[in-house]
Amino acid sequence: MDQDAALETAAGVAEAVAHGKLTARTATREALDRIIRVDAGLGAMVHISAERAIDRARQIDEGPAAGALQGVAVALKDNICRIGEPTTCASRILTGWMPPYDATVVRRLEAAGAVLLGKTNMDEFGMGSSTETSAFGPTRNPWQLGSVPGGSSGGAAAAVATGMVQVAIGSDTGGSIRQPAAMCGVVGLKPGYGRVSRYGLVAYGSSLDQMGPLTRTVTDAARVLEVLAGPDPRDATSLDEGEPWTWQPSSIAGMRIGVLTRLTEGAGIQSDVAEALSKAMAWYRDAGCTLVPVEMPELEWAIPTYYLLATAEVSSNLSRFEGMRFGLRRETEELGSTIERTRSEGFGAEVKRRILLGTFALSAGHQEAYHGRARKVRHLIAQAHDRVFREVDVLLSCTSPTTAFPLGSRLDDPLAMVLSDVATVGANLAGIPALSVPCGFDRKGLPIGMQLQGPRGGETRILDAGHAYERAHPWWMARPPVAWDLQPLAREVRA
């Protein structure tokens, strides 16, 4: 790997800073400069903390070695709390809200030496698959500005793809890290439920949400997970497995890879995506892996199950935003009408739709018929995954059945938008880890993503499989036409 490419990765920057070849201040100024020159055409960032970031970089340069992410530029999705920085979830209803506490992931990133630059754009409260429902306006795909970047962590994916930051932290409720990673040609890792503390993440679907990294490489994703993973007394759902989670790449020879046929070559899978996956599977076979066709009929019900459960949790979690304690308040003479007006003006159409669906699913006379049945089907889906992982080590599929679609093309068709998540929601329902790795480009030059899923606690397996493929197919080194005519960071590196 050449020096320029290495300095586009978290590992490369951290190593250069640690060995005195690069200062954290130089790396931070380069990142901020790139944001200023590039982001006006993308809309990836919604808040930039330039002075705070430069001051933090100075502290890193003047202090002792800070950790695994020393000097690495990181952006946070706009639903992750940080003291002194707006957290709006890309919604009008949280306009101007400043959290009084840091998320656990924020504290761990800073302890590892990361420099936090600001917040990235997202679908409002994470509800969407295209980053078009944001109150700040849409984010554009850096590979083709007329296309979506995926969602809801589309701003995070675009920021990493264009080199604004080496790492972005997103959240994933039904695919919101992996799907935009696939559409923007970067790596996206959704850890298993409980691996990373959710403290400080504004809740969408509490039993489904998980935070994780978007990076240029699999190695970077693993490095960030090592920093973020671990129990947290502030989050009762976080896992305590005794030993800290770490990763060292291992050989994949002999690995059993289950191929979800309906999500690699079935109906609805774009031909370019199917072709890229077929080539990837052939490579795994040549690398000594055993490919096992897998049918999981339970996944037919994953989308309706997910949307019933997620919207039910939305109706509960978003009830706290009523204009009394957070953000926007539209005052009237009566309390009830103040709440009604605030929520009416503060929430966007997609959020209102999901609140209504969830409230209906939980309402008297309907709860057992809808939400109760969805809970039972979720259990069956989780059991199906457990059963399959007794036979295979990793599951392989597409991340998204299509590459990035044109901006605006699905906004008036909620069902088509929902189907963008057909390959990803199963991992959230089952609580298992999943990784999206770039695996090629379609005929229009848009990135394609391959998804690797593992059993509970199986992050190591999917990272091994993704890393081996990436080393043989360094798609991450391809650069989108936006922003990459800029001088590389390497020009500031000391010999």
Side-chain angles (χ1 to χ4, degrees):
M1 185 189 305
D2 64 30
Q3 187 181 66
D4 290 0
L7 288 169
E8 292 163 14
T9 70
V13 170
E15 182 177 351
V17 172
H19 289 84
K21 297 180 178 180
L22 177 71
T23 66
R25 278 171 288 188
T26 295
T28 300
R29 289 192 183 102
E30 287 279 351
L32 292 169
D33 183 53
R34 188 176 289 276
I35 290 171
I36 291 169
R37 289 189 281 171
V38 173
D39 195 46
L42 286 180
M45 303 293 296
V46 297
H47 179 76
I48 302 168
S49 299
E51 292 184 9
R52 190 176 180 184
I54 292 172
D55 184 60
R56 170 63 176 152
R58 177 187 57 76
Q59 294 173 11
I60 291 170
D61 288 334
E62 295 175 356
L69 299 177
Q70 190 171 359
V72 173
V74 178
L76 304 171
K77 190 174 178 179
D78 192 32
N79 58 353
I80 301 172
C81 294
R82 188 187 185 204
I83 293 174
E85 198 163 284
T87 299
T88 71
C89 299
S91 177
R92 286 183 293 275
I93 205 162
L94 282 178
T95 300
W97 183 62
M98 306 282 278
Y101 59 92
D102 284 330
T104 296
V105 297
V106 169
R107 292 187 290 106
R108 290 179 177 175
L109 287 166
E110 292 190 323
V115 180
L116 306 185
L117 301 190
K119 299 292 185 69
T120 60
N121 202 9
M122 58 183 284
D123 283 301
E124 185 180 6
F125 281 100
M127 298 176 201
S129 302
S130 64
T131 315
E132 293 177 284
T133 68
S134 168
F136 295 101
T139 299
R140 296 177 178 273
N141 191 306
W143 291 92
Q144 191 175 92
L145 294 180
S147 298
V148 303
S152 62
S153 306
V160 172
T162 51
M164 296 184 201
V165 292
Q166 287 87 46
V167 176
I169 305 300
S171 65
D172 192 311
T173 308
S176 291
I177 288 174
R178 292 159 287 155
Q179 188 248 27
M183 290 189 173
C184 289
V186 300
V187 172
L189 172 62
K190 184 202 86 68
Y193 190 78
R195 176 70 73 186
V196 174
S197 170
R198 292 184 296 114
Y199 179 77
L201 174 69
V202 179
Y204 165 9
S206 302
S207 73
L208 302 160
D209 295 338
Q210 185 64 82
M211 285 183 280
L214 294 97
T215 60
R216 296 298 301 280
T217 69
V218 173
T219 297
D220 280 358
R223 178 178 288 236
V224 176
L225 184 58
E226 286 181 339
V227 169
L228 301 184
D232 179 11
R234 297 177 178 87
D235 178 8
T237 66
S238 64
L239 299 174
D240 185 355
E241 298 184 334
E243 296 295 322
W245 184 87
T246 60
W247 176 75
Q248 289 293 331
S250 299
S251 170
I252 63 169
M255 181 177 281
R256 298 165 299 169
I257 298 179
V259 178
L260 284 167
T261 52
R262 63 182 291 159
L263 294 175
T264 54
E265 58 187 31
I269 307 299
Q270 184 178 317
S271 61
D272 292 333
V273 174
E275 183 179 347
L277 293 173
S278 178
K279 292 178 179 178
M281 288 185 283
W283 180 85
Y284 277 117
R285 186 183 293 109
D286 292 342
C289 299
T290 300
L291 301 187
V292 180
V294 171
E295 296 289 344
M296 292 181 68
E298 293 87 352
L299 289 179
E300 181 180 351
W301 304 104
I303 286 285
T305 299
Y306 167 80
Y307 275 92
L308 276 168
L309 295 175
T311 56
E313 294 183 21
V314 163
S315 72
S316 175
N317 282 325
L318 269 60
S319 64
R320 72 193 71 179
F321 302 115
E322 76 296 71
M324 299 297 110
R325 294 165 291 176
F326 311 102
L328 183 72
R329 180 169 182 163
R330 290 290 186 251
E331 192 77 53
T332 67
E333 294 181 356
E334 296 186 1
L335 176 62
S337 57
T338 294
I339 294 173
E340 180 181 353
R341 184 178 175 190
T342 298
R343 289 170 67 85
S344 179
E345 294 184 20
F347 288 136
E350 183 61 28
V351 173
K352 291 175 183 176
R353 179 185 295 117
R354 298 195 190 197
I355 290 173
L356 289 171
L357 285 170
T359 302
F360 176 81
L362 291 174
S363 61
H366 298 292
Q367 183 169 357
E368 189 54 38
Y370 293 101
H371 188 257
R373 289 187 181 183
R375 291 200 314 271
K376 293 174 183 176
V377 175
R378 178 182 189 172
H379 182 64
L380 292 175
I381 290 171
Q383 284 186 321
H385 281 88
D386 290 342
R387 182 179 66 250
V388 166
F389 283 120
R390 287 195 288 269
E391 305 296 328
V392 302
D393 300 306
V394 169
L395 280 175
L396 183 150
S397 71
C398 65
T399 306
S400 170
T402 70
T403 53
F405 45 89
L407 283 161
S409 63
R410 299 187 183 181
L411 277 177
D412 296 327
D413 189 349
L415 181 58
M417 189 74 79
V418 162
L419 292 176
S420 301
D421 302 329
V422 66
T424 54
V425 296
N428 298 81
L429 292 169
I432 60 175
L435 175 75
S436 181
V437 181
C439 71
F441 294 86
D442 71 4
R443 291 173 178 83
K444 297 179 180 178
L446 289 166
I448 298 169
M450 171 177 62
Q451 179 176 238
L452 300 165
Q453 300 176 76
R456 294 170 192 167
E459 285 87 353
T460 297
R461 294 188 191 181
I462 58 176
L463 289 165
D464 284 344
H467 178 258
Y469 175 81
E470 179 183 81
R471 290 193 64 186
H473 305 85
W475 297 109
W476 70 269
M477 295 182 70
R479 298 170 172 177
V482 174
W484 289 108
D485 59 340
L486 304 180
Q487 290 294 317
L489 178 67
R491 73 177 188 271
E492 296 287 350
V493 176
R494 292 192 290 270

